[in-house]
Amino acid sequence: MRRSGSLTASAKGFKLTVERRSMEDGVPPVQVSAPGGESSEVTLEKAGPGLWRSTIDVKAPGLYKLQTSSPTGPLNAVANAGIEDAREMSEVTATDEKLKPLVEQTGGGIFWTRGGGLLSNLSASGVELPRVSMLANARVLAGSGWMGLKDREAFVTRGVKLIPMFTGFVALAALLALLALTWWREGR
């Protein structure tokens, strides 16, 4: 089996580094697709024996998809460029502190499932869930071991109004025109 090398990409802030390992004398350019859909080509420069590299500045944060061709098929890579300490990644532990003010104002509740860790064997009795009830006119939608869903009756159909599209002579004229068109087409 013939190996054609690899394509890797990494980012530090808004600097995207593209590396291609190949024993070929030259490598084709790399197609870079930005998160917004724009694409550009990057020409890699020889950085050492079997190593081709280029660093580019990117404008938008997000996932950049890279693709190039090789003798054995296309090579792909993905890199996440942008702010390294994004707000979403600064606090990744689960907590209910941020939701408490909203929950208290709306009469809701916060429930945690217990017993089923990420790597544990989940069984039907291993996870504790609150009892769910439909409530029509309640101000409090949660309690000890239960939670309520507000019944808005959004599924109820209050009325139907039918309006015919073609009536009388308009429908007869459209039908005759369609028949004449069909007869003319078949005659050709």
Side-chain angles (χ1 to χ4, degrees):
M1 183 173 143
R2 182 177 166 195
R3 293 207 33 122
S4 62
S6 65
L7 178 68
T8 58
S10 61
K12 291 229 185 247
F14 287 97
K15 291 207 177 283
L16 183 67
T17 302
V18 183
E19 286 186 353
R20 166 87 191 270
R21 296 198 177 269
S22 175
M23 295 309 291
E24 300 171 17
D25 292 333
V27 293
V30 177
Q31 187 78 21
V32 179
S33 298
E38 308 86 26
S39 62
S40 60
E41 279 192 351
V42 175
T43 304
L44 303 179
E45 300 169 2
K46 191 163 182 112
L51 179 62
W52 304 79
R53 181 184 300 140
S54 183
T55 301
I56 58 171
D57 291 322
V58 294
K59 296 176 182 146
L63 286 178
Y64 283 81
K65 299 174 188 169
L66 298 93
Q67 183 175 13
T68 189
S69 60
S70 73
T72 59
L75 298 174
N76 298 304
V78 177
N80 184 19
I83 302 166
E84 291 181 24
D85 190 19
R87 188 173 188 176
E88 301 88 35
M89 302 310 270
S90 63
E91 295 179 32
V92 293
T93 56
T95 179
D96 57 358
E97 293 301 317
K98 304 272 183 184
L99 289 176
K100 273 189 180 177
L102 177 66
V103 169
E104 290 170 0
Q105 288 177 1
T106 59
I110 297 173
F111 298 95
W112 293 88
T113 58
R114 292 177 186 84
L118 189 61
L119 299 175
S120 68
N121 184 11
L122 290 178
S123 64
S125 63
V127 177
E128 296 177 19
L129 295 175
R131 182 177 47 88
V132 179
S133 301
M134 293 296 286
L135 303 173
N137 296 321
R139 295 190 137 226
V140 178
L141 296 173
S144 177
W146 69 273
M147 66 183 275
L149 299 176
K150 190 166 189 134
D151 187 5
R152 300 182 309 124
E153 297 184 6
F155 61 89
V156 178
T157 304
R158 303 262 185 231
V160 176
K161 186 175 182 182
L162 299 174
I163 301 172
M165 291 181 61
F166 294 111
T167 59
F169 290 115
V170 176
L172 182 61
L175 181 63
L176 289 175
L178 184 62
L179 284 172
L181 179 66
T182 306
W183 184 29
W184 174 77
R185 177 72 178 129
E186 286 293 325
R188 295 184 95 201

